[in-house]
Amino acid sequence: MNDSGVVVEGVEKSFGEVRALRGVDFTAAQGEVLGILGPNGAGKTTTVNILSTLIAPDRGRAQVAGHDVVADPAAVRRSIMLTGQFAALDDMLSGYENLVMFGRLMGLRKPAARARADELLAEFDLVDAAGRRVGTYSGGMRRRIDIACGLVVRPDVVFLDEPTTGLDPRSRQGVWDLVSSFRKHGITTLLTTQYLEEADALCDRIIVIDHGVVIAEGTADELKSRTGGSYCEVVPLRLEDLPAIAAALGPLLPEESRAALTPDSDRIALPAPEGAKTLAEALRRLDSSGVELVDIALRRPSLDDVFLQLTGHLAATETGAAE
Ligand SMILES: Nc1ncnc2c1ncn2[C@@H]1O[C@H](COP(=O)(O)OP(=O)(O)OP(=O)(O)O)[C@@H](O)[C@H]1O
Ligand SMILES: [Mg+2]
């Protein structure tokens, strides 16, 4: 089971006094895109560094693609791709030459390494820049050649530590497409991000880490429904109709929502535990009351709401975290 996935059990890691990881547990199935979410200093990079054998755990067990990170780090390294903070790109070489060099390092013969380099340059839209020294590349191009180098030989597991931080929208879309292609190829992907909409769009499952422990996990939808679920928002054309709306909604509007109405309110929000069914019932009641509405809609909590509730602070949209 989980041969090409990731298993993490009770992993702890301290740096001197700092307890970066205090017992992290999670799994990622083969081919799954797992989002690792958490505020600054939560322990995301430490987790990725342990799984990619850059640092050793103090306690606990971690397996990547069936190999133990402590007992067999060499096998783990052969199974993974890591991008981001530690690119081993040679600035003096061209993009093409870097790719060929990586292929040779991975044991490919020269013709195979050249053919693979050409494929990857095309896939990453770097054909025009292929002959230029990597030292002259823009940040986004560097990121792409970095990722391409890691794909010279197909990995079982990919680690992307904040791959889109600081990228422009076009380059960001490129990384998103790449993650989709990993999924298509059955590659397991662990993606740390501070962009909640990114986790929402890309990840099959999300774990939220805070202060070195996993505090929640599930699909984006599961996490959202944990935060009170959907609600229905009603905006009247005339503010003086609010009391009439409250009356028309009757039992749909709980006492606390009724009590939350103030003279400043310009809308009414009611819980919609049954989603569209609640919306339809509200609409039916309001329709027969004859009140004119500007808007009535079903709203879902965002991943931001979830994150805020779980960690007590919003994800920072920091830039330039990855050097
Ligand atoms: N080499 C180190 N020496 C000392 N402390 C460290 C070291 N690496 C990480 N830490 C500390 O461990 C904790 C977890 O850091 P980590 O880099 O894993 O967080 P993160 O979730 O990746 O944060 P960010 O979102 O800022 O990248 C932090 O308190 C950090 O200061
Ligand atoms: Mg980090």
Side-chain angles (χ1 to χ4, degrees):
M1 183 196 124
N2 226 321
D3 266 350
S4 305
V6 173
V7 182
V8 178
E9 282 172 8
V11 166
E12 298 179 26
K13 179 72 187 177
S14 294
F15 299 101
E17 296 288 281
V18 181
R19 291 188 70 197
L21 301 182
R22 297 185 294 161
V24 168
D25 299 275
F26 67 89
T27 61
Q30 182 188 341
E32 185 171 52
V33 180
L34 179 74
I36 304 180
L37 228 62
N40 289 135
K44 305 182 295 294
T45 297
T46 304
T47 302
V48 168
N49 286 350
I50 287 173
L51 292 174
S52 48
T53 76
L54 292 173
I55 56 176
D58 297 336
R59 213 165 282 118
R61 195 175 74 91
Q63 257 188 13
V64 174
H67 310 292
D68 189 279
V69 294
V70 174
D72 202 355
V76 170
R77 276 183 223 132
R78 279 196 299 275
S79 313
I80 65 173
M81 171 191 138
L82 183 64
T83 62
Q85 287 129 329
F86 5 73
L89 292 172
D90 187 335
D91 279 349
M92 300 303 287
L93 298 181
S94 70
Y96 174 78
E97 290 164 339
N98 264 290
L99 286 168
V100 172
M101 184 187 72
F102 266 86
R104 300 286 286 156
L105 286 175
M106 299 299 288
L108 297 184
R109 293 177 175 280
K110 229 177 213 164
R114 288 180 179 153
R116 187 71 184 125
D118 284 330
E119 273 174 24
L120 288 163
L121 287 165
E123 192 172 328
F124 284 86
D125 199 14
L126 288 166
V127 173
D128 292 341
R132 255 169 55 199
R133 279 178 31 214
V134 163
T136 69
Y137 281 17
S138 71
M141 291 163 75
R142 275 189 83 86
R143 197 71 74 130
R144 277 182 280 152
I145 195 78
D146 180 17
I147 292 171
C149 284
L151 282 178
V152 167
V153 173
R154 181 192 171 283
D156 289 321
V157 180
V158 169
F159 299 102
L160 299 172
D161 193 6
E162 302 200 27
T164 59
T165 297
L167 292 191
D168 63 52
R170 184 168 159 271
S171 307
R172 181 175 292 193
Q173 185 59 49
V175 174
W176 286 30
D177 293 345
L178 184 73
V179 172
S180 307
S181 78
F182 290 161
R183 185 193 280 108
K184 231 174 20 221
H185 289 102
I187 297 173
T188 308
T189 305
L190 266 61
L191 171 94
T192 78
T193 182
Q194 302 210 20
Y195 300 115
L196 300 170
E197 82 275 14
E198 184 163 285
D200 207 351
L202 291 181
C203 299
D204 300 312
R205 221 153 45 82
I206 294 168
I207 61 171
V208 182
I209 296 189
D210 197 19
H211 296 111
V213 286
V214 176
I215 57 169
E217 76 173 280
T219 63
D221 281 341
E222 284 167 358
L223 291 177
K224 285 176 191 171
S225 64
R226 207 175 294 180
T227 315
S230 303
Y231 57 97
C232 180
E233 207 172 56
V234 184
V235 185
L237 181 62
R238 284 173 296 272
L239 287 186
E240 59 267 28
D241 285 340
L242 277 176
I245 290 177
L249 289 172
L252 285 183
L253 194 64
E255 206 42 59
E256 49 290 9
S257 307
R258 218 172 278 271
L261 282 176
T262 69
D264 293 334
S265 303
D266 64 347
R267 60 196 61 205
I268 288 181
L270 60 142
E274 294 185 84
K277 237 173 112 184
T278 311
L279 175 69
E281 172 67 9
L283 204 52
R284 200 183 53 73
R285 284 169 170 269
L286 290 167
D287 206 31
S288 52
S289 79
V291 174
E292 268 191 275
L293 301 179
V294 175
D295 190 26
I296 177 165
L298 199 58
R299 306 249 186 261
R300 307 191 56 225
S302 70
L303 216 44
D304 283 285
D305 295 330
V306 178
F307 202 77
L308 189 61
Q309 191 184 34
L310 286 172
T311 67
H313 40 128
L314 274 176
T317 46
E318 89 184 316
T319 51
E323 53 189 15

